Amino acid sequence: MRNIDEHTITEAVLQSLAGTTSARLKQVMTSLVTHLHDFARDVRLTEDEWQAAIDFLTATGQKCTATRQEFILLSDTLGISMLTIALNHAKPAGATEATVFGPFHTGDAPHVEHGADIAAGAPGLPMFVSAIVQGPDGEAIANAEVDVWQADADGLYDVQRPELGDARRARAVLRTDARGAVRFRSIVPTAYPIPVDGPVGRMLAATGRHPWRPAHLHFMIRADGYQPLTTHIFRDGDAHLDSDVVFGVRSSLVGNYVEHAPGTAPDGSVVATPFFTLDQTFVLPRAPG
Amino acid sequence: MRNIDEHTITEAVLQSLAGTTSARLKQVMTSLVTHLHDFARDVRLTEDEWQAAIDFLTATGQKCTATRQEFILLSDTLGISMLTIALNHAKPAGATEATVFGPFHTGDAPHVEHGADIAAGAPGLPMFVSAIVQGPDGEAIANAEVDVWQADADGLYDVQRPELGDARRARAVLRTDARGAVRFRSIVPTAYPIPVDGPVGRMLAATGRHPWRPAHLHFMIRADGYQPLTTHIFRDGDAHLDSDVVFGVRSSLVGNYVEHAPGTAPDGSVVATPFFTLDQTFVLPRAPG
């Protein structure tokens, strides 16, 4: 191919992929190249803009460390992460929907008994959570693993507080009882901004976007014989429910967080501050096969 | 926007860009998001593939240093660089076409007189170049700056040889005379592979592509009153002319490199090895205005 111009070059690149052994890789690369070229032609990308894009991508890669993944943040804020989740987690009617996993899960959360205060000192107003895990016919799913994690009243996860070292708080793993239930005490989650001190922060500023995620509690639920679920329960009334910077909100995932005056909590304890309750049911489809 | 699914998410992301102050940035981001989402939907991107893409982009950014730009290499090998050049350098009939700039230009090449041996010790068979720079009506362009650079017989540019330090060879800057001519001695260029020890090398291997660029001599020409030109003159007969890994070849840029038996060169010197001559005319459009 020697007669490269703005129209012939796409076919030339696609022909260069003819020797790709993996049929799937060939399909993915063919679509990617076609769409990237169409983008450049559609906007008639200038050389200065191209250089700015190269610089942006380079800075994004160089911002990544063991504890900071700026390319995931870019994918999240451009809706690619949530789109990929939507493509791969189509749910039958009635099943609880999935949303983004996020970067703040850890594999070493404490395993606790029902009724435990998983906040473990994290600041925030008390919250009493009662959750039911059930199958598509309303059957209780016993012995399901319920992994929960969240930000505190300052909008920070434990891993974002260097002063905590490896100590874990406002996260835990529980098991459902015979009724498919778990209950625990924690704190009410608050909205928080994603990190904006990198290239993604510059992109948000340039496009007039705020960096906020509406308040939410993360759940990851696994049970034998059922499809696993990774999701959030968003706090109703949050000002950012319609403008989540990572596009993770689904109406069905907005929970009923009820605020109560100081007094006796569902577990019988007396609470001197306002507190919240959250009652939530999760429905898992059966695993295929 | 709370009803995010694989179809509604694109509109949600586009709506989030409503506050973009720059109309051009808004146009570019709108097109980029639309095409990236269409790509993910078209191939029904899986979560493992998404993770592999995040890892690839991160590694590409982290491979970049002051002397290595892996994202430019990625852009080059996916045809984005040459497409951008084609979009921005449409030439009138008769004008010499542009091609990729490449990563090996330096700002500190020696300024030399006509007839100089710019190889300065770089290995390769001698080559005697005579070039004419003219305008659209065939008028000579005097005092044009002609910046030339190239790889040597080992396929390496001087900057790729750490043993040379800051010494420069096989590159120079000349000025055209009253006839619009420059002439110099150098070495004949050879084909060479782009660097394959990074993510781009893995992409080429996975897609069954070779890393070779056909042999070429770089020219960057600037003259008052004319449009600047950045291009290559490719060596005719090169085995990779139809499969340049960066898609830079245009038929009109394949030069007439003539091989000669040992004997008297055009400059009157006697050469004991085979040698080459290259006679090339460059035509620059007039600058607008």
Side-chain angles (χ1 to χ4, degrees):
Chain A
M1 172 62 81
R2 302 186 193 185
N3 291 301
I4 299 291
D5 65 25
E6 69 176 89
H7 302 292
T8 59
I9 189 165
T10 305
E11 187 56 31
V13 179
L14 297 184
Q15 283 177 9
S16 80
L17 303 171
T20 307
T21 311
S22 158
R24 175 61 177 167
L25 180 62
K26 190 170 176 176
Q27 178 191 21
V28 169
M29 290 296 292
T30 296
S31 179
L32 180 65
V33 166
T34 302
H35 282 292
L36 285 177
H37 283 208
D38 283 348
F39 155 68
R41 272 188 294 262
D42 282 356
V43 301
R44 296 199 74 79
L45 195 70
T46 71
E47 290 170 288
D48 283 350
E49 288 165 348
W50 174 88
Q51 183 66 56
I54 294 287
D55 292 345
F56 182 87
L57 291 168
T58 303
T60 300
Q62 300 203 333
K63 189 74 183 174
C64 295
T65 66
T67 57
R68 173 77 176 263
Q69 227 307 349
E70 193 78 358
F71 266 115
I72 290 184
L73 213 55
L74 181 61
S75 167
D76 289 353
T77 53
L78 295 182
I80 315 286
S81 306
M82 192 60 194
L83 172 55
T84 304
I85 288 161
L87 286 167
N88 290 282
H89 296 277
K91 301 282 185 185
T96 305
E97 294 182 292
T99 189
V100 291
F101 182 54
F104 297 119
H105 183 261
T106 67
D108 60 356
H111 290 245
V112 303
E113 298 301 315
H114 288 193
D117 181 0
I118 72 166
L125 289 174
M127 178 172 70
F128 298 85
V129 178
S130 174
I132 296 285
V133 180
Q134 60 186 40
D137 296 320
E139 75 276 21
I141 303 179
N143 204 35
E145 184 182 274
V146 177
D147 197 336
V148 58
W149 67 105
Q150 66 170 106
D152 64 27
D154 297 325
L156 295 172
Y157 291 81
D158 51 6
V159 294
Q160 294 177 290
R161 292 185 178 275
E163 71 274 18
L164 292 179
D166 293 334
R168 296 288 170 251
R169 67 187 200 186
R171 67 175 77 236
V173 180
L174 301 95
R175 289 267 174 190
T176 54
D177 63 18
R179 297 183 306 111
V182 293
R183 55 190 173 79
F184 58 92
R185 174 176 173 159
S186 190
I187 48 173
V188 71
T190 56
Y192 61 84
I194 61 168
V196 293
D197 60 333
V200 170
R202 294 201 298 276
M203 182 274 285
L204 293 176
T207 54
R209 293 173 58 184
H210 71 70
W212 290 86
R213 296 217 62 207
H216 57 274
L217 198 53
H218 289 264
F219 285 91
M220 184 162 62
I221 304 178
R222 285 178 283 217
D224 287 346
Y226 294 88
Q227 294 178 29
L229 172 67
T230 300
T231 198
H232 305 350
I233 300 302
F234 292 93
R235 188 169 159 188
D236 52 326
D238 191 289
H240 300 107
L241 280 174
D242 286 306
S243 64
D244 182 2
V245 70
V246 307
F247 308 97
V249 181
R250 292 168 179 263
S251 305
S252 65
L253 298 178
V254 179
N256 184 29
Y257 290 74
V258 178
E259 186 166 3
H260 302 267
T264 303
D267 67 355
S269 63
V270 175
V271 181
T273 64
F275 65 91
F276 287 79
T277 54
L278 173 66
D279 294 287
Q280 183 69 36
T281 299
F282 296 93
V283 180
L284 273 51
R286 293 204 184 84
Chain B
M1 173 61 83
R2 303 187 192 185
N3 292 301
I4 298 291
D5 65 24
E6 69 176 90
H7 302 292
T8 58
I9 190 165
T10 304
E11 187 55 31
V13 180
L14 297 185
Q15 282 177 9
S16 80
L17 303 172
T20 307
T21 311
S22 157
R24 174 61 177 168
L25 179 63
K26 191 170 178 177
Q27 177 191 22
V28 168
M29 291 295 292
T30 296
S31 179
L32 180 65
V33 166
T34 302
H35 282 293
L36 284 177
H37 284 209
D38 283 347
F39 156 69
R41 273 188 293 261
D42 282 356
V43 301
R44 297 199 73 80
L45 196 69
T46 72
E47 289 170 287
D48 284 349
E49 290 166 346
W50 174 87
Q51 184 65 58
I54 294 288
D55 292 344
F56 182 88
L57 291 168
T58 304
T60 300
Q62 300 204 334
K63 188 73 182 175
C64 295
T65 65
T67 56
R68 172 76 176 263
Q69 227 307 348
E70 194 78 357
F71 267 116
I72 290 185
L73 213 54
L74 181 60
S75 168
D76 289 353
T77 53
L78 295 182
I80 315 286
S81 306
M82 191 60 195
L83 172 55
T84 305
I85 289 161
L87 286 167
N88 289 281
H89 296 277
K91 300 284 185 183
T96 305
E97 293 182 293
T99 188
V100 290
F101 183 54
F104 297 119
H105 182 262
T106 68
D108 60 356
H111 289 244
V112 304
E113 298 301 315
H114 287 191
D117 181 1
I118 72 165
L125 289 174
M127 179 172 70
F128 298 85
V129 178
S130 174
I132 296 285
V133 180
Q134 60 187 39
D137 296 320
E139 75 274 22
I141 305 180
N143 204 34
E145 183 181 274
V146 177
D147 197 334
V148 58
W149 68 104
Q150 66 169 107
D152 63 26
D154 298 326
L156 295 173
Y157 291 80
D158 49 9
V159 293
Q160 293 178 290
R161 293 183 176 276
E163 72 273 18
L164 292 180
D166 292 334
R168 296 290 171 248
R169 66 187 199 185
R171 67 175 76 236
V173 180
L174 302 96
R175 289 269 174 189
T176 55
D177 63 18
R179 296 183 307 111
V182 292
R183 58 191 170 75
F184 58 90
R185 175 176 173 160
S186 188
I187 49 172
V188 71
T190 57
Y192 62 83
I194 62 168
V196 292
D197 61 334
V200 171
R202 295 201 296 277
M203 183 273 285
L204 293 176
T207 53
R209 293 172 57 183
H210 71 70
W212 290 86
R213 297 216 61 207
H216 56 274
L217 198 53
H218 290 264
F219 285 90
M220 185 164 61
I221 304 177
R222 285 179 281 218
D224 287 347
Y226 294 88
Q227 294 178 29
L229 172 67
T230 301
T231 197
H232 305 349
I233 300 301
F234 291 94
R235 188 169 159 187
D236 51 328
D238 191 289
H240 300 107
L241 280 173
D242 287 306
S243 65
D244 181 1
V245 70
V246 307
F247 307 97
V249 179
R250 292 168 180 261
S251 305
S252 66
L253 298 178
V254 179
N256 184 30
Y257 290 74
V258 179
E259 185 167 3
H260 302 267
T264 303
D267 68 355
S269 63
V270 175
V271 181
T273 64
F275 65 91
F276 287 78
T277 55
L278 173 65
D279 295 286
Q280 183 69 38
T281 298
F282 296 93
V283 179
L284 273 52
R286 294 204 183 85

